[in-house]
């Protein structure tokens, strides 16, 4: 594998430089003095920002974009071998790294690299940790999978030994990382277009845990089914968190405000401690906060700073994000695209003042929709009114013989009314004709369904 020497910056080309993660890595390398170029299909705020900082970007991926002066090519799992730029890099014998391999090499450049993993909650927890480290003046470098309003972006370039990043299990990308501290929030079935089953997924998280050095630390959700298969044989320190006071960190005396945001008393090894107040809704965010608190105490950050940072954190973009109000209808957007995430979001919404809860859901990938069809139907049934958009295929081309109409029938079999409209314009028309003042509308999914709420607010 090609090894980067940060003392000798080179010319690196990114295929798909406008992605949320790729753009962040490119920005860090620009700051480190590297020459950065790359391509994307369309101009965006992220590509414009990179251009302003000195990157050269091509719009459209073409063979001729690749020139012999490029020292290294970086690509993601979305890039196929027949991509013209990938083909050109092979023809010119340009070394290549995946995005994850590059990120792993960058982590080696820091004294305390922190990787936050799990099937759900990575972006929110990474954002919570980021807020804490920023308020503690630890000057971290941050790589977040979503936009954090405090830094007005997904990347922050610090000048300390702290590096914080999300660690995604898809295609085993997090196995290319070099963390000193790892967090595993939860482990469930997902990405079944890559993993065979839950045992395969647990094995992947076990390999991630084994990456931690003997003087490192694993912070892990104590209620994860089969946790012993993940932690077996690892040499580092293990800290647990969860809903039971048998874990190292748990929460007691939980209460919720009128918007579904929790307050709780921290419990350390069964002993009651200080109280925390969150400004993000839902029980799942208590668990996210517990992992962030455990990390903060490991880093010896003052308790008052942690309390203040968590109370001040109002969420990251596309995580129960308030978009606006139109004609008395509150519009929320959420990235949830797995049944567990949908359940958590809709339960959180139940504590938010509203009359009727409308959910516009855009399924994400055919493989995920088919694998969890009945679970999706059950989770979505928590909403009063369910509207489905077309399945967002992402990287997939085979529809596996299913559509959103298949999911609609599953929901109707549970006795719930469900609507399916192939276009966003039809969905928007339905909402305008049916939502009343006092209702809540949640647009939900990992695709582009956020446009529905944004169009309505325009």
């Amino acid at each position: 594998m090609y090894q980067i020497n940060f003392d000798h910056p080179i010319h690196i080309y990114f295929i798909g430089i406008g992605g949320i993660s790729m753009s962040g890595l490119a920005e860090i390398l620009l700051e480190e003095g590297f020459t950065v170029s790359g391509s994307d299909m369309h101009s965006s705020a992220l590509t414009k920002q990179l251009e302003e900082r000195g990157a050269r970007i091509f719009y459209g991926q073409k063979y001729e974009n690749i020139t012999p002066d490029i020292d290294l090519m970086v690509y993601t799992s979305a890039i196929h071998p027949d991509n013209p730029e990938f083909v050109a890099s092979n023809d010119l014998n340009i070394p290549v790294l995946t995005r994850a391999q590059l990120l792993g090499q960058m982590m080696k450049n820091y004294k305390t690299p922190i990787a936050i993993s799990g099937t759900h909650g990575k972006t929110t927890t990474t954002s919570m940790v980021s807020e804490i480290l920023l308020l503690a003046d630890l000057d971290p470098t941050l790589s977040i999978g979503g936009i954090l309003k405090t830094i007005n972006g997904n990347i922050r370039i610090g000048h300390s030994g702290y590096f914080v990043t999300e660690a995604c299990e898809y295609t085993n990308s997090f196995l290319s990382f070099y963390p000193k501290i790892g967090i595993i929030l939860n482990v469930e079935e997902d990405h079944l277009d890559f993993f065979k089953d839950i045992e395969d997924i647990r094995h992947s998280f076990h390999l991630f845990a084994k990456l931690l050095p003997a003087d490192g630390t694993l912070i892990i959700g104590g209620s994860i089914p089969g946790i012993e298969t993940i932690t077996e044989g690892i040499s580092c320190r293990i800290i647990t968190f969860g809903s039971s006071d048998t874990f190292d960190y748990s929460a007691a005396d939980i209460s919720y405000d009128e918007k579904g945001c929790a307050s709780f008393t921290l419990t350390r090894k069964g002993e009651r401690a200080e109280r925390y107040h969150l400004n993000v809704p839902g029980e799942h965010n208590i668990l996210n906060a517990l992992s962030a608190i455990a990390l903060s105490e490991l880093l010896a950050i003052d308790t008052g700073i942690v309390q203040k940072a968590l109370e001040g954190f109002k969420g990251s973009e596309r995580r129960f994000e308030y978009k606006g109000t139109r004609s008395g209808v509150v519009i929320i957007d959420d990235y949830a695209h797995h049944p567990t995430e949908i359940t958590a979001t809709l339960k959180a919404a139940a504590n938010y003042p509203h009359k009727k809860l409308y959910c516009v859901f855009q399924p994400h990938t055919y493989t995920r929709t088919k694998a969890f069809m009945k679970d999706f139907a059950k989770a979505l049934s928590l909403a009063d009114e369910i509207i489905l958009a077309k399945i967002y295929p992402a990287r997939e081309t085979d529809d596996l013989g299913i559509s959103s109409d298949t999911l609609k029938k599953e929901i109707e079999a549970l006795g719930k009314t469900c609507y399916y409209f192939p276009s966003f314009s039809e969905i928007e028309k339905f909402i305008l004709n049916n939502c009343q003042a006092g209702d809540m509308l949640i647009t939900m999914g990992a695709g582009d369904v956020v446009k529905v709420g944004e169009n309505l607010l325009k």
Side-chain angles (χ1 to χ4, degrees):
M1 185 194 303
Y2 186 90
Q3 298 291 320
I4 293 175
N5 183 345
F6 282 83
D7 293 326
H8 295 90
I10 58 174
H11 180 184
I12 300 182
Y13 189 97
F14 290 79
I15 307 179
I17 197 169
I20 190 84
S21 178
M22 292 280 269
S23 63
L25 299 182
E27 191 171 331
I28 293 173
L29 290 170
L30 283 168
E31 180 73 13
E32 294 284 346
F34 285 72
T35 300
V36 171
S37 59
S39 64
D40 216 278
M41 299 312 293
H42 306 286
S43 174
S44 68
L46 291 173
T47 59
K48 288 176 183 175
Q49 181 172 300
L50 288 172
E51 287 177 312
E52 289 169 2
R53 299 193 178 188
R56 184 183 183 191
I57 299 179
F58 300 92
Y59 294 101
Q61 292 170 354
K62 301 175 183 176
Y63 187 99
E64 54 266 30
N65 292 346
I66 309 306
T67 52
D69 64 311
I70 296 169
D71 300 302
L72 175 67
M73 172 82 72
V74 179
Y75 66 101
T76 69
S77 57
I79 301 303
H80 298 291
D82 61 353
N83 178 283
E85 295 184 341
F86 194 87
V87 171
S89 69
N90 284 334
D91 291 348
L92 293 172
N93 294 316
I94 296 171
V96 297
L97 289 177
T98 66
R99 179 203 65 86
Q101 288 169 337
L102 172 64
L103 178 51
Q105 290 198 24
M106 292 171 74
M107 292 173 81
K108 289 181 177 180
N109 213 32
Y110 295 84
K111 183 180 178 182
T112 310
I114 301 164
I116 299 172
S117 73
T119 311
H120 323 292
K122 293 184 289 292
T123 297
T124 296
T125 306
T126 305
S127 299
M128 286 179 171
V129 168
S130 298
E131 295 280 12
I132 293 166
L133 268 61
L134 289 169
L135 193 62
D137 290 327
L138 293 180
D139 193 20
T141 295
L142 308 172
S143 177
I144 308 169
I147 302 300
L148 181 63
K149 292 168 187 173
T150 303
I151 60 174
N152 196 31
N154 69 307
I155 202 78
R156 178 189 188 271
I157 300 165
H159 300 91
S160 72
Y162 293 100
F163 182 96
V164 182
T165 184
E166 292 186 32
C168 182
E169 74 276 17
Y170 183 58
T171 68
N172 282 330
S173 63
F174 63 177
L175 300 186
S176 297
F177 291 4
Y178 296 88
K180 178 75 176 290
I181 301 171
I183 293 178
I184 300 178
L185 297 164
N186 39 62
V187 177
E188 292 188 30
E189 282 186 308
D190 198 9
H191 301 303
L192 294 176
D193 58 327
F194 176 76
F195 294 110
K196 291 183 290 186
D197 51 28
I198 186 62
E199 292 304 323
D200 191 22
I201 295 169
R202 286 196 191 104
H203 178 66
S204 184
F205 276 94
H206 170 64
L207 295 177
F208 171 71
K210 285 183 72 174
L211 295 175
L212 295 162
D215 62 344
T217 304
L218 173 65
I219 299 169
I220 186 168
S223 298
I224 293 174
I227 185 174
E228 64 283 349
T229 65
I230 297 170
T231 58
E232 182 183 10
I234 66 172
S235 57
C236 68
R237 178 184 180 187
I238 299 173
I239 296 173
T240 58
F241 67 92
S243 54
S244 167
D245 62 9
T246 60
F247 302 132
D248 296 319
Y249 291 84
S250 61
D253 309 321
I254 299 169
S255 62
Y256 293 91
D257 65 15
E258 68 281 357
K259 292 186 178 180
C261 301
S263 295
F264 62 90
T265 301
L266 179 69
T267 303
R268 291 189 198 89
K269 297 185 181 294
E271 296 292 326
R272 302 270 173 112
E274 63 278 356
R275 196 153 178 82
Y276 287 83
H277 307 277
L278 304 182
N279 250 315
V280 283
E283 182 182 359
H284 58 295
N285 276 318
I286 298 175
L287 296 174
N288 293 336
L290 287 173
S291 71
I293 292 166
L295 173 64
S296 302
E297 296 201 352
L298 181 67
L299 300 179
I301 297 173
D302 180 77
T303 296
I305 288 174
V306 181
Q307 288 172 306
K308 187 176 179 181
L310 288 176
E311 186 167 3
F313 174 62
K314 294 188 166 94
S316 48
E317 192 175 86
R318 300 219 63 208
R319 272 69 180 180
F320 210 88
E321 182 186 7
Y322 172 75
K323 301 294 287 187
T325 300
R326 174 178 172 145
S327 303
V329 177
V330 172
I331 299 176
I332 303 288
D333 180 62
D334 197 275
Y335 192 69
H337 55 284
H338 183 282
T340 300
E341 297 165 351
I342 293 167
T343 300
T345 298
L346 293 181
K347 281 185 175 179
N351 293 311
Y352 199 106
H354 65 273
K355 292 179 182 176
K356 264 188 161 185
L357 175 58
Y358 285 77
C359 178
V360 178
F361 178 63
Q362 180 185 45
H364 189 262
T365 72
Y366 298 109
T367 50
R368 182 182 284 116
T369 306
K370 185 171 184 177
F372 300 114
M373 187 73 70
K374 292 187 182 298
D375 295 322
F376 275 124
K378 184 178 178 182
L380 289 165
S381 294
L382 293 171
D384 298 313
E385 301 287 345
I386 307 156
I387 304 107
L388 298 178
K390 283 178 67 174
I391 294 174
Y392 188 86
R395 55 195 171 266
E396 297 180 347
T397 55
D398 184 355
D399 67 12
L400 305 178
I402 64 165
S403 70
S404 288
D405 194 53
T406 318
L407 177 56
K408 175 178 180 285
K409 289 171 183 172
E410 286 285 347
I411 293 169
E412 290 172 337
L414 296 176
K416 294 286 293 190
T417 301
C418 180
Y419 305 90
Y420 165 47
F421 300 104
S423 70
F424 285 171
S425 59
E426 291 172 282
I427 293 173
E428 291 156 18
K429 183 178 179 181
F430 176 87
I431 291 165
L432 289 171
N433 289 335
N434 289 275
C435 279
Q436 304 292 320
D439 291 342
M440 178 190 286
L441 169 69
I442 296 183
T443 57
M444 186 182 287
D448 56 355
V449 70
V450 61
K451 293 176 182 176
V452 170
E454 292 175 344
N455 290 341
L456 290 167
L457 290 169
K458 289 176 185 174

